[in-house]
Amino acid sequence: MSEKIYPVNPEVAAQAHIDNAKYEAMYEQSVNDPDAFWGEHGKRLDWFKPYTKVKNTSFDPHNVNIRWFEDGTLNASYNCLDRHLETRGDQVAIIWEGDDPSESENITYRDLHERVCRFSNALKAQGVEKGDVVTLYMPMIPEAAVAMLACTRIGAVHSIVFGGFSPEAVAARIEGAKSKVVVTSNYSLRGGKIVPLKANVDKALEHPAAAALVTSVIVVKRVDQDVAWNEKVDVWYEDLVAAASAECAPEEMEAEAPMFILYTSGSTGAPKGLEHTTGGYMVYAAMTHEYAFDYKQGDIYWCTADVGWVTGHSYIVYGPLANGATTLMFEGVPNYPDNSRFGRVIEKHKVNQFYTAPTAIRSLMQQGEDVLGDSDLSSLRILGSVGEPINPEAWEWYYRVIGKNRCPIVDTWWQTETGGLMILPLPGATPMKPGCASRPFFGVQPALVDAEGVELEGEAAGNLVIKDSWPGQSRSIWGDHERFTQTYFTTYKGMYTTGDGARRDADGYYWITGRVDDVINVSGHRMGTAEVESALVAHPAVAEAAVVGYPHALKGQGIYVYVTLQSGFEESDELIKELRLHVRKEIGPIASPDLIQFAPGMPKTRSGKIMRRILRKIAEDDFDALGDTSTLSDPSVVDDLIENRMNRK
Ligand code: 6R9
């Protein structure tokens, strides 16, 4: 790993919210006296009833209990909208940039407030009440942000399903969350292509359990084209808001009232719906957004994520809007109409902070140094990275070609579970090491433990855990607190298990090395290997499937599948194609296997467990590092697998 150090740019430090002296003093207070620290910083929000208690948390596996600001009341939508109206009602809240470069829209805080109030009333008219879960399955259009804020305004809980997920995935999430109302659009537009979004909801509702729950599907007309219509449940968004009043008082919510659920993949079982609550999440999202990106009034901030992921929740919508920022929302893709699109958008809207993912940087990098054409990037001040470890080459390219050697890169390590950024170099405080997530945010106490849970000191590599709670932390898995406890708090007692591995260097900086569990990270998206395997074995031809990650130049990791066929089925290229399509249909295009290898036998222990370590090494072409294979019930399987692997090339 590169150990090159880029010192903090003194000009950046001089104007930054946080310089190194401040970082150290604030960090110390945040961990030594969290009540005083967060008691003070919680005041960045407007509370209807101020809190008197700050931290009340326990990671004890017998009683995992996480409560912040618990006796305060507030409303997330009020904090993102109403409180800004007096001072910045006419300031742009959302710059929307359409898939087609000729389409964009500036939405002021006043406009956004009105749209949110109307849609809040529309949701109420559809029977949505405080505490109900509303499923959003939407493209990157302003109505997605409006729907999120309308839910939180009326105390409903939103559950966003990424638009790239399949009807099966939508159905499972509707059922898991017991959601009565779905908001979608007739079609979505990406890279000039029309994608049938509503048709996927229709297919999801062919599942009887989902159909039995859903009473209305609210459809935004994104594309002027006909769509199949079911009079019983379908209703146009445009009709509802036209009929709704533009006034809607925000619901007074307890700090610990659920705010949203977001499903994410784990190493076992079906995706889990992580639950986030109102007060702590909002404080944490707002504060991390301001400090990490050194956001100042008047800045134009752009995060390229999708609202279907946690990054879109915290860093397109809630963090920036709570701070009264101007946040850019992009409907399109980096390579449409051509590869210079990111540069064109930065130039067009004079973007100051640009936050994207290593996979996007690598794909730009592949196109060469002039990929952004003659786009003027001089407005940029801060760059960010999220989703997976950024390899030093991509970091250097990002710094040089996009940042012109003057913009700090904030490499932000965090998770759906953490609600907000956890480990990152603050732009005015932390010298940067390419590829290194660096130092913890305020209140975050990372540690490394070995397999037995013994904490490692000094320079070390091990399992990354967090020793105490921070306000943005997920409180539970929706409807299954036991699973929450089991997944995150039992492996290493009294600590939150991240599922990531990390190394700490002599300066105390953390380098994230990737997942240590059966989760793979494909283009920054989490995929549980168990999820892909269960999709595969649902296919009649498949007797057994094993899925592992392998290094992939663009995606970071690719999905490598080993399948053993049922007797009577023949290996063929057609079958490979069919299996790939099958997984896309079951989960969605992001789970599409990159390589499928037929495996007449799997390497198994005598007790019948598949030895994934061996499959991983074979997928990585690391045949010499297979380790001890003597405990396999049939060691000759390994030679067959290697031979098949070599034949593929
Ligand atoms: C925000 C988000 C979380 C997993 C996480 C880790 C990986 C994210 C990273 C990173 C190294 C970074 N990850 N950011 N690894 N450096 N800057 O991505 O949430 O979708 O839940 O994924 O992504 O492995 O555990 P989520």
Side-chain angles (χ1 to χ4, degrees):
M1 276 179 203
S2 138
E3 287 286 357
K4 204 165 158 186
I5 299 188
Y6 289 79
V8 174
N9 177 341
E11 277 169 44
V12 174
Q15 306 164 24
H17 291 301
I18 310 284
D19 61 14
N20 195 49
K22 249 190 179 162
Y23 170 77
E24 286 181 352
M26 283 172 74
Y27 183 76
E28 200 173 297
Q29 193 207 10
S30 74
V31 297
N32 291 335
D33 192 354
D35 280 310
F37 183 86
W38 291 109
E40 186 55 35
H41 289 279
K43 292 184 194 153
R44 63 167 46 245
L45 297 184
D46 284 7
W47 297 79
F48 294 143
K49 178 169 158 259
Y51 48 84
T52 62
K53 293 187 201 157
V54 178
K55 182 175 186 284
N56 174 11
T57 66
S58 158
F59 284 1
D60 173 356
H62 301 293
N63 175 32
V64 174
N65 174 45
I66 302 159
R67 307 181 69 79
W68 285 88
F69 312 109
E70 59 185 313
D71 61 345
T73 63
L74 75 167
N75 181 283
S77 169
Y78 179 91
N79 273 282
C80 291
L81 301 168
D82 308 52
R83 67 165 174 160
H84 302 312
L85 293 181
E86 208 172 302
T87 49
R88 51 175 87 91
D90 297 320
Q91 182 203 306
V92 176
I94 298 179
I95 298 174
W96 177 72
E97 167 79 13
D99 184 56
D100 182 328
S102 69
E103 264 194 289
S104 60
E105 193 184 349
N106 285 344
I107 304 169
T108 65
Y109 273 95
R110 205 178 311 288
D111 294 342
L112 188 61
H113 175 259
E114 188 190 317
R115 292 198 201 187
V116 169
C117 286
R118 282 186 193 279
F119 192 56
S120 299
N121 288 322
L123 285 174
K124 285 186 186 173
Q126 294 301 301
V128 178
E129 290 174 7
K130 192 168 171 171
D132 287 352
V133 180
V134 177
T135 300
L136 312 183
Y137 183 60
M138 301 187 75
M140 288 289 288
I141 53 177
E143 289 80 359
V146 169
M148 293 164 80
L149 292 162
C151 287
T152 53
R153 190 168 194 85
I154 65 172
V157 179
H158 57 70
S159 165
I160 309 192
V161 182
F162 173 59
F165 278 125
S166 68
E168 278 63 30
V170 176
R173 286 154 178 73
I174 290 174
E175 289 161 29
K178 301 208 172 21
S179 181
K180 292 189 297 191
V181 172
V182 179
V183 188
T184 188
S185 70
N186 59 348
Y187 297 93
S188 70
L189 267 184
R190 272 171 71 78
K193 292 193 201 80
I194 293 179
V195 186
L197 220 52
K198 158 123 186 347
N200 285 348
V201 175
D202 293 347
K203 278 191 209 129
L205 296 185
E206 285 169 14
H207 292 244
L213 283 161
V214 173
T215 52
S216 37
V217 176
I218 303 175
V219 187
V220 178
K221 189 179 258 169
R222 170 64 189 105
V223 176
D224 202 7
Q225 259 191 38
D226 286 346
V227 72
W229 204 253
N230 173 357
E231 292 295 343
K232 278 203 219 103
V233 288
D234 296 342
V235 39
W236 287 111
Y237 176 97
E238 290 74 10
D239 293 346
L240 289 181
V241 293
S245 150
E247 265 161 52
C248 176
E251 203 63 44
E252 180 171 346
M253 304 301 289
E254 289 182 7
E256 286 300 336
M259 177 170 158
F260 65 86
I261 313 173
L262 188 56
Y263 282 84
T264 192
S265 297
S267 47
T268 54
K272 350 173 234 267
L274 271 318
E275 175 188 336
H276 283 280
T277 58
T278 312
Y281 171 81
M282 286 297 291
V283 168
Y284 201 72
M287 182 164 163
T288 47
H289 169 260
E290 180 177 350
Y291 291 162
F293 302 105
D294 199 36
Y295 187 85
K296 307 233 174 59
Q297 274 314 300
D299 283 348
I300 310 291
Y301 160 89
W302 180 20
C303 165
T304 68
D306 189 285
V307 291
W309 309 115
V310 72
T311 308
H313 285 63
S314 303
Y315 300 109
I316 295 178
V317 179
Y318 292 114
L321 296 180
N323 290 334
T326 298
T327 178
L328 193 150
M329 189 174 184
F330 177 46
E331 185 184 32
V333 295
N335 58 358
Y336 178 81
D338 63 42
N339 286 317
S340 71
R341 187 67 191 276
F342 275 177
R344 302 293 169 205
V345 176
I346 291 168
E347 172 181 82
K348 177 173 170 188
H349 300 291
K350 304 205 168 33
V351 171
N352 303 113
Q353 288 95 351
F354 178 65
Y355 188 28
T356 194
T359 185
I361 298 162
R362 285 191 300 265
S363 70
L364 292 177
M365 189 170 144
Q366 228 188 19
Q367 311 292 325
E369 305 248 324
D370 56 356
V371 55
L372 299 183
D374 60 0
S375 312
D376 177 3
L377 306 179
S378 61
S379 57
L380 289 176
R381 229 176 63 227
I382 310 268
L383 303 176
S385 172
V386 61
E388 57 175 308
I390 179 166
N391 45 312
E393 304 71 43
W395 193 101
E396 296 281 358
W397 190 90
Y398 195 24
Y399 188 71
R400 188 169 39 93
V401 179
I402 312 279
K404 309 292 181 208
N405 298 309
R406 51 175 189 80
C407 305
I409 298 180
V410 192
D411 176 3
T412 62
W413 175 84
W414 61 295
Q415 311 177 297
T416 305
E417 292 86 342
T418 70
L421 316 175
M422 297 288 279
I423 303 182
L424 66 151
L426 286 171
T430 314
M432 296 178 293
K433 303 182 184 187
C436 180
S438 308
R439 301 197 287 186
F441 191 73
F442 305 124
V444 174
Q445 298 185 50
L448 300 174
V449 295
D450 67 13
E452 276 69 51
V454 177
E455 189 172 341
L456 307 168
E457 303 294 334
E459 275 182 78
N463 299 296
L464 179 66
V465 296
I466 313 289
K467 295 208 297 189
D468 200 357
S469 183
W470 62 98
Q473 180 172 27
S474 169
R475 305 303 196 245
S476 197
I477 289 174
W478 191 250
D480 198 349
H481 197 63
E482 180 52 30
R483 188 175 176 203
F484 183 68
T485 302
Q486 283 299 328
T487 309
Y488 302 108
F489 300 96
T490 53
T491 320
Y492 309 113
K493 301 247 168 338
M495 302 179 216
Y496 165 75
T497 304
T498 66
D500 279 311
R503 176 170 77 85
R504 189 173 46 225
D505 69 16
D507 298 323
Y509 278 41
Y510 287 85
W511 298 73
I512 311 296
T513 47
R515 300 291 303 195
V516 291
D517 55 10
D518 288 323
V519 169
I520 49 188
N521 191 324
V522 186
S523 301
H525 304 320
R526 270 163 78 163
M527 215 56 257
T529 51
E531 225 179 310
V532 183
E533 286 163 8
S534 65
L536 282 159
V537 295
H539 188 281
V542 177
E544 194 160 39
V547 172
V548 296
Y550 74 104
H552 188 288
L554 278 183
K555 301 179 180 182
Q557 280 190 301
I559 300 179
Y560 199 110
V561 171
Y562 296 88
V563 279
T564 308
L565 294 180
Q566 296 278 13
S567 60
F569 286 88
E570 292 283 314
E571 297 178 5
S572 71
D573 288 347
E574 279 67 54
L575 185 54
I576 287 185
K577 264 190 221 139
E578 190 179 317
L579 292 176
R580 191 170 281 135
L581 274 176
H582 173 76
V583 175
R584 292 170 71 98
K585 184 180 152 285
E586 289 289 316
I587 304 174
I590 57 165
S592 190
D594 295 282
L595 287 168
I596 298 179
Q597 173 171 340
F598 293 116
M602 296 282 185
K604 286 187 186 168
T605 60
R606 289 191 191 107
S607 64
K609 266 199 180 143
I610 296 181
M611 284 182 81
R612 288 162 186 286
R613 174 175 59 80
I614 293 176
L615 294 176
R616 240 176 255 133
K617 290 291 171 200
I618 296 173
E620 287 166 9
D621 288 336
D622 198 359
F623 307 136
D624 297 332
L626 296 181
D628 184 12
T629 56
S630 63
T631 58
L632 290 176
S633 64
D634 177 5
S636 73
V637 169
V638 174
D639 298 327
D640 290 345
L641 288 171
I642 292 178
E643 204 182 309
N644 273 329
R645 171 74 178 131
M646 302 218 277
N647 288 343
R648 295 193 65 90
K649 282 188 251 157

